[in-house]
Amino acid sequence: EIVMTQSPATLSVSPGERVTLSCRASQSVSSNLAWYQQKPGQAPRLLIHGASTRATGIPARFSGSGSWTEFTLTISSLRSEDFAVYYCQHYHGWPKTFGQGTKVEIK
Amino acid sequence: EVQLLESGGGLVQPGGSLRLSCAASGFDFATYGMHWVRQSPGKGLEWVSGISGSGAYTYSADSVKGRLTVSRDNSKNTLYLQMNSLRAEDTAVYYCAKDVQQLPYNWFDSWGQGTLVTVSS
């Protein structure tokens, strides 16, 4: 099983700041990596697939990068609606494991 | 617009059974693979099972193999999760999620709102 490790667990940020979230895979997943956003009481929402391709309707302030085992989600200028938990997930074989999540909270 | 609506959750005793349903609309259901993903209270996401658009191929996490079984009825646009021999650690919100292709090998582009399953005596 591929283990996905996200860091940090929690990030305290002010609106307008640039945010960088990390996700590491225990073995290569090529570019088979997605990012999801989850707000309290809501279902996850797809942000990024293929490590760097924004999903339909996702604002340009969200960007993804990386390949093989190291990945990054960047929010260029944090808005109030971006405070949430972010999960990475690989889809390079089975099982499709998720990271434990990074909570982005208001500083 | 893609809509996924889960139902069937509730309180069940350890060792009991439950069947979850996910009613799909807004897309050609038989053309897409589907998944179940769960989230224990206050915890992260765990992929549970996936099924191809035709239903011919299914995949499950080791933690649920032999107990939780995914299936689908394309004539009813509905995904199912049959849950047997339930344990306390199966307590979670269960989400259905849509794959982007026929075979369930990809990312999930739409999610339902989830249904809560509580396993407790």
Side-chain angles (χ1 to χ4, degrees), chain B residues 1 18 24 39-40 43 54 68 70 74 86-87 90 95 104 109 112:
Chain B
E1 179 192 2
L18 211 57
Q39 185 169 36
S40 300
K43 302 295 185 182
S54 67
L68 276 57
V70 61
N74 288 343
L86 283 164
R87 306 167 180 168
D90 295 317
Y95 296 100
D109 65 348

Side-chain angles (χ1 to χ4, degrees), chain A residues 8-102:
Chain A
T10 304
L11 205 51
S12 298
V13 188
S14 299
E17 287 188 20
R18 180 183 181 89
V19 171
T20 300
L21 312 180
S22 295
C23 174
R24 174 175 292 179
S26 61
Q27 63 190 74
S28 176
V29 298
S30 186
S31 294
N32 298 317
L33 191 286
W35 289 94
Y36 301 88
Q37 176 194 66
Q38 187 179 34
K39 297 179 181 179
Q42 296 186 17
R45 177 175 73 142
L46 175 69
L47 297 176
I48 301 284
H49 61 86
S52 61
T53 302
R54 274 190 304 278
T56 302
I58 300 303
R61 65 181 182 273
F62 291 92
S63 64
S65 63
S67 62
W68 306 113
T69 61
E70 299 284 343
F71 301 90
T72 299
L73 175 69
T74 300
I75 309 172
S76 60
S77 180
L78 203 70
R79 298 183 60 157
S80 57
E81 61 264 36
D82 300 335
F83 291 98
V85 180
Y86 293 84
Y87 294 94
C88 63
Q89 180 213 17
H90 83 82
Y91 45 96
H92 192 75
W94 308 95
K96 299 175 183 293
T97 49
F98 291 85
Q100 79 279 21
T102 291

